[in-house]
Amino acid sequence: MHIDSPTPDKAAILVALAVLFTSDAVIELRSFQKGKKRTDAGYFDASHWSQLAEHAVRLSASGAAVYITLNPVDPQLLSRYSNRIEAYASVTTNDKQVVCRRWLLIDIDPTRPSGTSATDVQFQAAKDKVQEIRQYLSELHWPAPVVAQSGNGYHLLYAIDLPNDDEATVLVKGVLSNLGDRFDDAQIKVDRTVFNAARICKLYGTVANKGDNTSRAPWRLSKLLEIPERTVVSAEQLEQLAPIAGKVTASATPHTATPTSATPSNGSFGLEDFLTRHSLAHTRDQHEGRERFKLASCPFNPEHIDGEAAIFRKPSGALGFKCQHTSCEDKGWRHVRELLDGPRPGPRQSQWPEPTPLPNALPSVDRFDAELLPQALRPWIMDIAHRMQCPADFAATAALAGISSLIGARAVVRPKERDDWQVVPNLWGVIVGRPGVKKSPALNEALKPLNRLQGNEFELWKISHEEWAIDSKLVTMQNEANEKKAKAVVVKDPAAARALLSPVEAPAEPQARRYIVNDATVEKLGEIMEQNPWGVLSYRDELYGLLTSLDKQGQEGSRAFYLTSYDGNQSYTYERIIRGTTHIPRVCLAMIGGIQPGRIQEYVRGAVAGGSADDGLLQRFGLAVWPDVDGEFIHVDEWPDTAAKQAAWAVYERLGMLQPQSETEPTVWRFTPEAQELFVQWLVPFETEIRGDTLHPAMVSHLAKYRKLIPALALTFALIDTPNEACLIGEAELLRALAWGDYLRTHANRLYAAAVMPEMTDAATLLGKLKTGKLTDRDGMILGSFTPRQIALKGWSGLGTPQAVRKAADVLADYDWLRPETLPGGPTGGRPSDRYLINPGLFSGGAS
């Protein structure tokens, strides 16, 4: 049943601001659009309260929930969004940016399903509970509070005058905890989470509009009900309700390890010092991209000896522990540390320390250098990146993949001087970037010359196809006329009739050359490649769809087709009931597309974990780039560099006319003697490295494809910049290819980080979910702790099993975002279980 909605009240908002704040205060207004992942925020001084109220009325009327910081904030924050509202605000106030504490908020809400407004009965129950609490505090000689209706419950606002420090935080938290213990019941709760300094509060005069507005659970206008003269609750009165909290002194400051040579400045644990302190004999080496400290004996069982137990340190600084014996399979780094250093302090033993920001889970990558580009393409690619304000990596990768498709199998390189090993230079590329970083526009711009070639080809084909259609009709008509003549002479001259019935052959139907294919089934792609055996480009704006479609059951044949097409010189035959037999003499496919970071990380995990995706398909994307995207944006409104564009497009046109040596054989290119020597100098240590055990198997599989990538790039650069009749690749082209190899390897490290150091990647995922309030109970209340099983049931990427959650949580514990706690097995003697407490700083805008 529809009922009228309340209207936000500007006058009531201005009254609330005058009651809550002094004339020198700076306030943050924050709103959340209903049903959308969006935060709007702005900072206002007292001379602009009227504008604040107008914004609040507008936002509330649009359905947004509107809040303010209850305590005044650092005036410097005004320069973030000065007396205005920033849509999709990227930063808001944290606890450290609050000037002082002026109000103790006691928020009383009824228990109800999440996403719903309170019923009248629930609302009345909250009102009754407010009276109980108010009476109790009055008996303790607390002054009269400001009383407010929040919309679904009630607020008691007691004036306080405290600094914004750790003691005040613990004191306020203790008061709320005491009141909750005393007054909580099954229907009504005191919100114990509103203790932090930067806590936002409903802006009185705006609408509380959870769920739909119904007669049973109506929307209500939040408003002040009682406004007494401001009288401060003393610190002694607060301590009376939180005696333990009130005794916090400087001695309770959390311990922070003194940095030493064994304690990296990024906050990582000083492992070498730990091993020395506990006399843990060990040997040290590298294993699968990690430092490995092989212990002489296992800390949990001295019979596990000679390196069967080891501590690992990832490049990020994250630590892990593994013992080969089944009896120790549930032991991790946290258990080792607790065994030797003792349990880390629990929440009642010390305050929470300031959490340390996680190191970037993604390894750093080399920035794109314009010198990597051949001279004919360099000005054009850099002009695209400048005008679009996107990484040059995007357009450069697309251009090389596109040009490689024009070369296809028409020209090949023999990297060895006296060997017939041939490399076809068709390249596979993927650009990784989050939405909005202009992946698609950069790809489209770099492939425009190829699309123009395709358009011109279709125009020529249309003309020739029309002529062919006319010629075909003429042949049909001639055959029909000859048949009539044959009937007339068959009796007198059978030989002449036979000659007339010999059919006139129709001309072959012209076929348009295909330069680029966007979305085709494998069967259709096979037909296209049968007609274009020297090569074609497959362009997929979003590669994730293709990759995941090939993972489905029944697509094994399609995967095999794509795997074969990467080689560029293999034949392929497939049989279909309807289509019959299709034989492709040479399957040569270049490929380019984009993908989002989360999608590629998800796919990487599957591709290296075994199963159908673990067949090297992903590793064939040698031109894989995942650049950093600078936050700075410069508005550029310039005409394209015409000369650079014409020079680059001329390369596409020239290579579009490239011919093989014969109808069946490609043109063979070789290295000059200087380039040949340089290639051997690179190849020997490269092969030695990938045959060792220092790299993760996923990286080994990826780098193994550089055997093709490096000579293929060298040939491509030679055909772009230095085509010659001798078909020789010089030292300069090979040096540029090797520079690309070094650059691309850093991007490959980032690409496979999801597999090489999954704990850090998963820890970042878990932290992000916790920060955005994804961990709630059935009523939508944010939880302060969790068990690994609780998180695993959420099905978050990389966190699908309790074991994976435990590893990620242990990393967060090392950086003080979480605190592990072992729960007893219960009265029936069950197994103990792990629980992780969440640092309150996570919810109050602590380290990020």
Side-chain angles (χ1 to χ4, degrees):
M1 175 180 176
H2 173 77
I3 61 173
D4 292 335
S5 300
T7 303
D9 187 339
K10 180 179 178 180
I13 293 172
L14 290 172
V15 169
L17 297 176
V19 170
L20 297 175
F21 300 99
T22 59
S23 60
D24 61 346
V26 171
I27 314 164
E28 182 198 339
L29 176 72
R30 195 181 309 170
S31 74
F32 305 95
Q33 290 290 336
K34 192 173 183 180
K36 299 179 181 178
K37 296 180 179 179
R38 170 178 172 178
T39 300
D40 297 342
Y43 292 87
F44 296 84
D45 56 27
S47 61
H48 292 83
W49 280 357
S50 179
Q51 289 92 322
L52 183 155
E54 290 172 1
H55 284 300
V57 168
R58 173 181 59 81
L59 290 165
S60 182
S62 72
V66 184
Y67 298 84
I68 52 169
T69 48
L70 194 55
N71 294 311
V73 306
D74 183 348
Q76 189 172 350
L77 298 187
L78 188 65
S79 62
R80 279 182 180 168
Y81 322 122
S82 180
N83 296 305
R84 65 179 180 85
I85 293 296
E86 174 79 1
Y88 296 95
S90 60
V91 61
T92 55
T93 307
N94 65 39
D95 283 344
K96 293 182 178 180
Q97 295 163 342
V98 170
V99 175
C100 62
R101 289 180 176 267
R102 295 191 76 246
W103 295 101
L104 168 68
L105 170 63
I106 302 175
D107 183 2
I108 299 96
D109 270 325
T111 301
R112 63 191 191 280
S114 61
T116 66
S117 295
T119 65
D120 289 339
V121 172
Q122 292 168 338
F123 194 58
Q124 181 61 45
K127 183 177 182 180
D128 295 340
K129 185 66 69 175
V130 162
Q131 297 302 332
E132 289 183 39
I133 296 174
R134 184 178 182 183
Q135 178 62 33
Y136 168 71
L137 294 176
S138 177
E139 292 173 357
L140 295 179
H141 305 293
W142 282 35
V146 172
V147 181
Q149 171 182 308
S150 65
N152 292 304
Y154 285 84
H155 290 172
L156 296 177
L157 292 161
Y158 284 93
I160 57 176
D161 186 10
L162 296 174
N164 178 25
D165 56 20
D166 291 341
E167 282 193 30
T169 298
V170 175
L171 187 59
V172 170
K173 185 176 181 179
V175 169
L176 296 178
S177 180
N178 185 309
L179 293 174
D181 290 343
R182 184 179 297 271
F183 290 101
D184 280 358
D185 57 34
Q187 288 76 39
I188 305 296
K189 305 289 183 185
V190 174
D191 191 340
R192 309 180 192 215
T193 68
V194 297
F195 61 84
N196 61 298
R199 173 60 57 171
I200 54 176
C201 173
K202 192 71 174 178
L203 177 54
Y204 308 116
T206 62
V207 178
N209 60 352
K210 289 188 177 180
D212 290 339
N213 187 22
T214 66
S215 58
R216 175 173 175 77
W219 294 352
R220 301 181 181 87
L221 187 69
S222 63
K223 54 187 176 183
L224 295 178
L225 301 176
E226 298 181 30
I227 310 173
E229 182 178 350
R230 177 179 171 86
T231 305
V232 172
V233 178
S234 69
E236 290 76 14
Q237 288 173 307
L238 293 170
E239 290 173 5
Q240 185 179 1
L241 284 185
I244 296 176
K247 295 179 181 179
V248 173
T249 64
S251 63
T253 302
H255 170 71
T256 303
T258 303
T260 68
S261 60
T263 306
S265 59
N266 67 356
S268 299
F269 182 74
L271 178 59
E272 288 85 349
D273 178 61
F274 175 84
L275 295 170
T276 301
R277 281 190 290 109
H278 295 291
S279 302
L280 295 178
H282 63 278
T283 59
R284 181 175 178 177
D285 63 7
Q286 292 283 328
H287 181 68
E288 295 186 353
R290 306 173 296 177
E291 288 182 275
R292 178 170 60 181
F293 299 79
K294 297 168 69 175
L295 303 180
S297 63
C298 174
F300 303 100
N301 189 331
E303 294 182 2
H304 303 165
I305 60 174
D306 296 333
E308 292 177 317
I311 295 172
F312 298 90
R313 181 163 60 195
K314 306 290 181 63
S316 64
L319 299 174
F321 170 81
K322 176 68 175 178
C323 180
Q324 302 298 327
H325 289 261
T326 305
S327 62
C328 294
E329 65 181 0
D330 62 338
K331 304 299 184 184
W333 161 246
R334 173 171 62 86
H335 303 97
V336 174
R337 189 174 177 189
E338 288 183 353
L339 175 69
L340 299 175
D341 276 344
R344 303 184 71 182
R348 296 185 181 277
Q349 294 172 287
S350 74
Q351 299 180 61
W352 279 90
E354 179 71 16
T356 302
L358 288 180
N360 191 347
L362 296 176
S364 62
V365 296
D366 287 352
R367 294 180 66 87
F368 190 82
D369 188 337
E371 294 296 321
L372 290 170
L373 289 166
Q375 295 177 1
L377 302 183
R378 190 179 306 160
W380 176 57
I381 294 296
M382 301 312 292
D383 181 59
I384 291 173
H386 170 65
R387 288 185 294 105
M388 285 191 174
Q389 287 293 287
C390 69
D393 320 55
F394 291 170
T397 302
L400 288 183
I403 287 175
S404 80
S405 72
L406 294 175
I407 302 169
R410 296 172 180 84
V412 299
V413 55
R414 289 186 176 176
K416 292 184 178 180
E417 189 174 2
R418 292 176 291 273
D419 196 296
D420 60 358
W421 167 38
Q422 293 185 165
V423 168
V424 180
N426 58 314
L427 299 172
W428 286 19
V430 57
I431 62 175
V432 184
R434 65 180 185 273
V437 297
K438 298 187 177 179
K439 299 191 303 295
S440 297
L443 283 168
N444 291 331
E445 193 69 20
L447 295 177
K448 273 185 178 180
L450 205 62
N451 284 318
R452 186 173 74 168
L453 290 174
Q454 187 67 83
N456 291 342
E457 176 69 14
F458 281 147
E459 287 296 325
L460 294 173
W461 171 83
K462 182 180 179 181
I463 295 172
S464 62
H465 197 270
E466 289 173 352
E467 293 178 352
W468 168 82
I470 293 173
D471 290 341
S472 296
K473 287 183 179 179
L474 289 174
V475 168
T476 301
M477 294 169 63
Q478 186 173 353
N479 284 328
E480 291 174 350
N482 286 344
E483 185 176 355
K484 290 181 180 179
K485 291 179 181 179
K487 288 180 179 179
V489 300
V490 65
V491 175
K492 295 181 179 179
D493 190 352
R498 178 181 290 275
L500 288 169
L501 289 177
S502 298
V504 178
E505 292 188 5
E509 183 179 3
Q511 300 293 332
R513 175 179 171 181
R514 294 300 298 269
Y515 290 89
I516 188 167
V517 178
N518 296 117
D519 186 10
T521 64
V522 167
E523 289 77 10
K524 185 60 180 178
L525 187 58
E527 290 183 4
I528 293 172
M529 297 178 75
E530 184 182 19
Q531 298 162 4
N532 298 266
W534 293 108
V536 69
L537 176 72
S538 173
Y539 168 40
R540 303 290 289 252
D541 185 41
E542 267 295 340
L543 271 173
Y544 184 74
L546 171 65
L547 294 175
T548 53
S549 70
L550 295 177
D551 289 344
K552 296 178 180 177
Q553 187 174 3
Q555 291 298 311
E556 294 81 6
S558 298
R559 288 188 72 87
F561 179 85
Y562 276 99
L563 290 168
T564 303
S565 71
Y566 171 78
D567 293 333
N569 55 9
Q570 304 295 318
S571 64
Y572 195 90
T573 302
Y574 58 83
E575 314 280 348
R576 296 293 184 270
I577 295 176
I578 297 178
R579 295 177 182 267
T581 299
T582 300
H583 177 72
I584 309 169
R586 188 184 301 102
V587 183
C588 183
L589 185 70
M591 194 180 303
I592 187 66
I595 198 167
Q596 296 177 20
R599 293 283 180 87
I600 193 66
Q601 287 180 304
E602 178 184 337
Y603 192 80
V604 166
R605 292 177 190 274
V608 301
S612 62
D614 189 13
D615 56 7
L617 181 68
L618 177 66
Q619 286 82 358
R620 282 163 165 75
F621 287 90
L623 293 179
V625 296
W626 186 344
D628 296 315
V629 180
D630 295 333
E632 182 182 2
F633 175 82
I634 301 173
H635 177 64
V636 177
D637 187 4
E638 299 175 2
W639 293 110
D641 186 335
T642 303
K645 178 179 176 180
Q646 290 175 343
W649 285 38
V651 172
Y652 282 79
E653 292 172 0
R654 172 168 57 82
L655 294 178
M657 295 185 290
L658 184 68
Q659 296 298 319
Q661 180 176 319
S662 69
E663 291 185 0
T664 59
E665 294 298 324
T667 302
V668 177
W669 285 63
R670 294 185 180 274
F671 291 125
T672 63
E674 297 79 12
Q676 188 69 60
E677 182 179 355
L678 178 62
F679 181 74
V680 175
Q681 291 174 359
W682 167 78
L683 184 65
V684 173
F686 169 77
E687 292 285 358
T688 302
E689 181 187 19
I690 64 175
R691 282 167 166 76
D693 63 353
T694 60
L695 297 174
H696 190 280
M699 276 297 293
V700 172
S701 179
H702 184 89
L703 294 177
K705 300 297 184 288
Y706 280 31
R707 297 181 182 115
K708 168 175 176 169
L709 178 65
I710 297 301
L713 283 171
L715 172 58
T716 302
F717 296 146
L719 284 165
I720 292 173
D721 269 348
T722 57
N724 57 85
E725 294 182 359
C727 298
L728 291 175
I729 302 169
E731 192 174 12
E733 288 71 40
L734 180 55
L735 283 171
R736 177 168 285 121
L738 292 173
W740 266 89
D742 293 339
Y743 155 79
L744 289 169
R745 181 164 179 168
T746 68
H747 289 257
N749 286 334
R750 174 171 286 187
L751 184 70
Y752 290 99
V756 174
M757 46 183 187
E759 291 87 353
M760 184 58 69
T761 304
D762 295 343
T765 299
L766 178 57
L767 182 60
K769 296 291 187 181
L770 297 177
K771 281 186 174 182
T772 53
K774 300 297 185 183
L775 183 62
T776 61
D777 62 15
R778 293 180 180 178
D779 295 327
M781 298 296 292
I782 294 178
L783 299 177
S785 66
F786 63 85
T787 65
R789 178 174 172 78
Q790 278 180 291
I791 299 295
L793 291 174
K794 298 283 186 180
W796 294 334
S797 177
L799 301 168
T801 66
Q803 183 180 9
V805 175
R806 191 173 288 107
K807 290 179 179 179
D810 284 344
V811 172
L812 292 181
D814 285 338
Y815 290 89
D816 293 315
W817 289 102
L818 304 176
R819 182 175 289 151
E821 184 178 72
T822 300
L823 301 176
T828 60
R831 293 179 59 185
S833 59
D834 291 337
R835 180 175 69 173
Y836 293 87
L837 307 180
I838 302 173
N839 189 329
L842 182 146
F843 302 116
S844 57
S848 59

